[in-house]
Amino acid sequence: MTEPDFEPEGFELPDFDPKRTRRAVRRGVVRTALVTLSALLVVALTATVGSAWIQKRGDRERRMRDVLGTAMQVANPEYRIGFGETGASPLSLSLEARISPVRAVGGFSAGSFTSKRDQITQDFFGRVRTPPLGQGNTTPLTYALINVRTGNQPKADMRKVLARLPQDMNALAVVEFTEPMTSAQLVSFARRHDGCPNSVVYEERPRSTPITWESTMRPSRMGLPKSGMCYDSPPETLEGFRAWVGMLREHDEPNLRRFGLDLARLRKAAGEGRAYAYVDSLATISSLRELIKDPRVATVRVADVAFDLERPR
């Protein structure tokens, strides 16, 4: 074998440079940290976006608004509740609620009730956390409703109350019947007295908040009520109530109970469809003085009053 006609050049190690070595180490540490942080950021964003998508999967977002939002309204008929945006986190889904007490419409009201914001929150498994309102949020309308079918504040006493109030004052009143009415009977009654049954009480539950359905509360698939005179609303009010109860399922029971409701009560009230009382926020004292004379009226409870300063005297 012949020797190669060239010799490899000698390889020499460079002199050790501590400064260069430290810079190289720092660059490596920084590069590794940036790569790790970038990977963690991607994982976090993926987890957040992915979990939010999971929280809102299918019709979960709409069902939260239809079932839980409406349950909150049914459980708290003394408040008007509007709903805003839904928000999702890795572990929960929330629905913004704007809450204000029901007052006599028009003019200037007495009292210090204020509006507030809160939210309904359900966890990853769809269970509601502590719902807004509940105990400690009573209003005069709360007491007027829980007295339905108790015999408290009888007609004779309430006639004296109405006699002491100015006749052209606006009032928020609960009109209770001696016997429950069908929707058709309630329409006839309201037409005769020019009443406005904004909310209808569909349950006999003395000393507790009864199931009460407001005319504009309807599942999202139903759309808004038809326009018309206020006293013509009871059939559509009952239709909306029955449609909502019809969409409830057995797995909704734990959440309904968080709001103080249950399926058996709701289904019974919707099936019977009998009106034990109604709430009118557009009444005047003069109209209530005439209405209370009707033998079908057990009593009229005034929950709030307001002066309409723009009405000609």
Side-chain angles (χ1 to χ4, degrees):
M1 178 181 290
T2 60
E3 295 292 331
D5 57 359
F6 67 93
E7 293 182 3
E9 297 180 1
F11 177 76
E12 296 182 2
L13 289 172
D15 293 335
F16 177 73
D17 186 341
K19 292 183 179 180
R20 181 179 293 179
T21 301
R22 284 195 295 270
R23 285 197 298 270
V25 171
R26 284 197 296 268
R27 285 196 298 270
V29 171
V30 171
R31 187 180 298 114
T32 301
L34 289 174
V35 170
T36 303
L37 288 173
S38 298
L40 290 174
L41 181 60
V42 170
V43 170
L45 288 173
T46 302
T48 301
V49 174
S51 61
W53 177 82
I54 292 173
Q55 292 287 0
K56 296 183 178 182
R57 65 191 181 275
D59 66 345
R60 201 163 184 255
E61 186 175 5
R62 185 183 68 181
R63 187 166 177 78
M64 182 183 189
R65 188 179 296 269
D66 275 352
V67 175
L68 302 185
T70 305
M72 180 180 172
Q73 291 176 296
V74 174
N76 300 279
E78 64 272 51
Y79 288 91
R80 297 200 188 282
I81 305 171
F83 296 101
E85 300 296 324
T86 53
S89 72
L91 298 176
S92 65
L93 187 66
S94 61
L95 176 63
E96 182 188 61
R98 300 180 297 275
I99 307 165
S100 59
V102 178
R103 306 298 303 268
V105 173
F108 292 84
S109 298
S112 59
F113 295 113
T114 58
S115 301
K116 66 176 184 176
R117 290 178 179 269
D118 210 321
Q119 62 181 20
I120 304 171
T121 302
Q122 61 181 18
D123 62 23
F124 187 83
F125 302 101
R127 291 292 178 260
V128 175
R129 298 175 184 173
T130 304
L133 295 174
Q135 298 296 325
N137 288 278
T138 54
T139 73
L141 181 55
T142 308
Y143 296 112
L145 287 169
I146 66 177
N147 273 311
V148 171
R149 310 300 283 184
T150 63
N152 295 335
Q153 299 170 307
K155 180 183 288 193
D157 291 348
M158 295 313 298
R159 277 178 170 160
K160 296 175 183 177
V161 171
L162 293 172
R164 291 197 299 267
L165 295 171
Q167 67 173 2
D168 52 358
M169 181 176 276
N170 293 340
L172 169 68
V174 175
V175 179
E176 181 185 341
F177 302 121
T178 54
E179 296 294 335
M181 293 187 179
T182 65
S183 288
Q185 289 171 330
L186 181 52
V187 169
S188 176
F189 177 90
R191 279 180 178 170
R192 177 177 177 179
H193 295 287
D194 198 24
C196 185
N198 305 110
S199 301
V200 180
V201 177
Y202 287 112
E203 183 183 36
E204 184 174 10
R205 197 169 184 240
R207 298 178 180 83
S208 298
T209 303
I211 292 171
T212 306
W213 189 265
E214 203 269 330
S215 58
T216 60
M217 286 161 39
R218 302 162 71 81
S220 56
R221 59 182 171 79
M222 290 187 68
L224 295 174
K226 299 174 184 176
S227 60
M229 301 302 293
C230 195
Y231 45 65
D232 289 326
S233 63
E236 277 200 279
T237 301
L238 180 57
E239 178 191 17
F241 177 40
R242 285 175 168 169
W244 179 69
V245 172
M247 69 181 290
L248 299 176
R249 300 293 177 263
E250 299 302 326
H251 62 76
D252 293 315
E253 180 77 15
N255 284 340
L256 292 172
R257 289 188 178 279
R258 297 290 286 170
F259 289 98
L261 303 170
D262 65 71
L263 273 173
R265 284 176 53 209
L266 290 165
R267 287 171 175 168
K268 180 176 184 293
E272 293 176 351
R274 297 191 298 173
Y276 291 86
Y278 72 86
V279 180
D280 191 339
S281 61
L282 295 172
T284 62
I285 296 300
S286 60
S287 67
L288 294 177
R289 288 177 182 173
E290 292 301 315
L291 181 148
I292 202 170
K293 297 175 183 177
D294 194 307
R296 293 170 293 179
V297 174
T299 191
V300 173
R301 297 182 176 89
V302 177
D304 188 35
V305 291
F307 275 109
D308 186 351
L309 299 180
E310 297 182 356
R311 179 184 299 157
R313 295 296 191 267

